[in-house]
Every structure is written in structure tokens, then in C-alpha cells.
Amino acid sequence: MDKTYQIYQLKVGSSKILNYTYILVDKISGQAAIVDPAWDLEGITNIFRELGSEPGIILLTHSHNDHVNLVDQLIDQFNSQVYMSAKEIDFYDFRCKNLHSIHNNDIINLGKTPITCLVTPGHTAGGICYLLADSLFTGDTIFIEGCGICTTVGGSPEQMFESIQSIKKVVEPHVRIYPGHSFGKKPGYSIDYLQKYNIYFQIESKEHFIKFRMRKNQKNLFNFK
């Protein structure tokens, strides 16, 4: 069965950090959404102009600035509707116009494309992933190469372990991962690939997972081996 949606991938960033943001377009209705809009307002709006569409929906994986810093400007320009997990909103007191709180397994309909919300705390208190038929948008919960840090306010290695275990159970092996950052691998690898090569998908013991994720003297928090 053909996908009902198209993904457009943008690499955006400041001088210190690079992010991926994603535009999703429902092929039947033409309705569009954007995941974690940040940094490059002109580049993002140019793509929507080329597509002949607007970001009617903003999907936020979590509340860190590098994932949300264009939200207000897009709302002002397009009156976009914004979605974030209720736990993330409450824990960090996140506020913007047109904000909708969502819970685990809620469905957001982008035209004829259903988007399932998977609450995946660990990097933050209420992080969320967005699951489509063949795609999972993971923010900073999981990367192709590893998983997000658990040392920021609201982070928890225990919850990160549980979130990854839940993803392994719920998400089909063929589904491709689209994270908020890349640390060597481009977005689009499958869950099956992560099962084989992402060390955090291979650890079955919660105690072992916590000790490894939180180990001291890491030269680089994003060196996942």
C-alpha cells in the first residue's frame, strides 16, 4: 500500500547545534504539518511556498529551545495548531497560542494520514514520538546511533529505558526513524537496523542500561559506544 504522506527533511541550526526538522504533507488533502520547527524561518516558509501549502499543524517532540524556537513565529504567520504531550506542558510550564495537550496513543489526523502519539519520557519529562505508517519522528528520545542524554531537568535514564522498550514492542521493524539530530548516520534507518546496531536497543537489563547511559568520564555524551 502506498504511503498517504510525503516527508520533506531540512537540516537547520545555529553556529553551535544542528537539528533536523521535518515537513509532512498528506497526499490526498494537501494538508501539512511540521515537526520541531527551529532556526531557519525563511528556509521553512520557502519550502511551504514551493509546496503550495501551510503548516496547519506543529508537532513538538519536547520543549527544548532548539526544537521549538520558531513556534510563535509560525503561529503568528499561519495560525498553526500546536501539539505537545500534556506531561511536557505541565512539567516545564510550556505556553504558546493554539496549544493542544496530547496523551499516549492519541491520534492526530493530518488529512487522511493518522499520526499516533507515543509518550516517551527519558530525555525530558514528557517527550513524545510521532508514529505514521512507515515513519517515526523521535526528537531527542532516540537517534540512529544512540539515545538522548538523561541529565537535563526532567530527564530520567529509568524512563528512557522504558521508552525504548516500549518503542521496540509497538513499532514495526520496517518503520524508519527520523530523529532531531544526526551523529554520523543520516535519518531514515529502520527500527530493524537500530535493533542490530544501536547499543541502547540491545541492552535488556534496566540496571545495565542506567549504568551505561549515566557512566562517568564520557569524553563525549554523543559518543554512544
Side-chain angles (χ1 to χ4, degrees):
M1 182 178 178
D2 292 337
K3 287 193 301 186
T4 60
Y5 60 94
Q6 183 69 43
I7 302 171
Y8 299 88
Q9 177 178 297
L10 298 83
K11 185 184 287 187
V12 297
S14 67
S15 60
K16 295 182 179 180
I17 190 167
L18 288 174
N19 289 61
Y20 281 97
T21 189
Y22 304 93
I23 292 172
L24 311 176
V25 180
D26 177 67
K27 292 180 179 179
I28 298 172
S29 67
Q31 293 180 23
I34 187 167
V35 181
D36 289 353
W39 304 122
D40 187 1
L41 180 63
E42 182 178 3
I44 288 170
T45 54
N46 282 343
I47 289 180
F48 278 108
R49 192 175 298 112
E50 291 171 5
L51 294 173
S53 188
E54 296 182 352
I57 291 175
I58 297 175
L59 303 172
L60 300 178
T61 61
H62 62 295
S63 58
H64 285 166
N65 180 64
D66 61 313
H67 293 255
V68 306
N69 62 50
L70 290 184
V71 168
D72 290 334
Q73 293 176 74
L74 290 176
I75 294 170
D76 289 343
Q77 190 167 344
F78 300 104
N79 196 34
S80 308
Q81 302 302 303
V82 183
Y83 294 85
M84 177 183 278
S85 84
K87 188 174 182 180
E88 189 82 358
I89 292 169
D90 293 342
F91 189 92
Y92 300 102
D93 196 29
F94 182 85
R95 294 293 181 268
C96 69
K97 292 187 294 186
N98 300 344
L99 181 61
H100 303 269
S101 61
I102 46 180
H103 300 84
N104 194 47
N105 290 322
D106 280 355
I107 304 292
I108 300 168
N109 289 303
L110 179 67
K112 298 296 184 180
T113 300
I115 301 171
T116 302
C117 306
L118 303 179
V119 178
T120 53
H123 178 64
T124 60
I128 198 163
C129 297
Y130 295 99
L131 177 63
L132 285 72
D134 299 300
S135 315
L136 183 69
F137 298 89
T138 59
D140 288 0
T141 298
I142 56 174
F143 309 119
I144 306 302
E145 310 87 349
C147 71
I149 61 173
C150 305
T151 53
T152 57
V153 174
S156 164
E158 293 89 350
Q159 290 186 325
M160 181 65 81
F161 173 81
E162 296 296 346
S163 291
I164 290 175
Q165 296 306 306
S166 177
I167 288 170
K168 288 164 62 175
K169 292 177 183 176
V170 170
V171 182
E172 296 291 334
H174 73 277
V175 170
R176 296 186 178 277
I177 304 301
Y178 296 93
H181 305 279
S182 168
F183 301 99
K185 299 290 185 182
K186 294 181 179 180
Y189 284 79
S190 68
I191 283 284
D192 184 58
Y193 178 92
L194 270 65
Q195 294 272 23
K196 295 174 182 176
Y197 299 106
N198 183 323
I199 193 169
Y200 292 97
F201 272 66
Q202 299 167 1
I203 299 174
E204 298 292 342
S205 161
K206 181 186 289 190
E207 181 180 6
H208 180 195
F209 183 98
I210 293 168
K211 287 182 178 178
F212 187 75
R213 174 69 275 193
M214 305 301 287
R215 65 197 186 278
K216 295 180 180 180
N217 301 319
Q218 296 181 62
K219 293 181 180 180
N220 185 340
L221 286 174
F222 300 109
N223 179 1
F224 297 106
K225 297 300 184 182

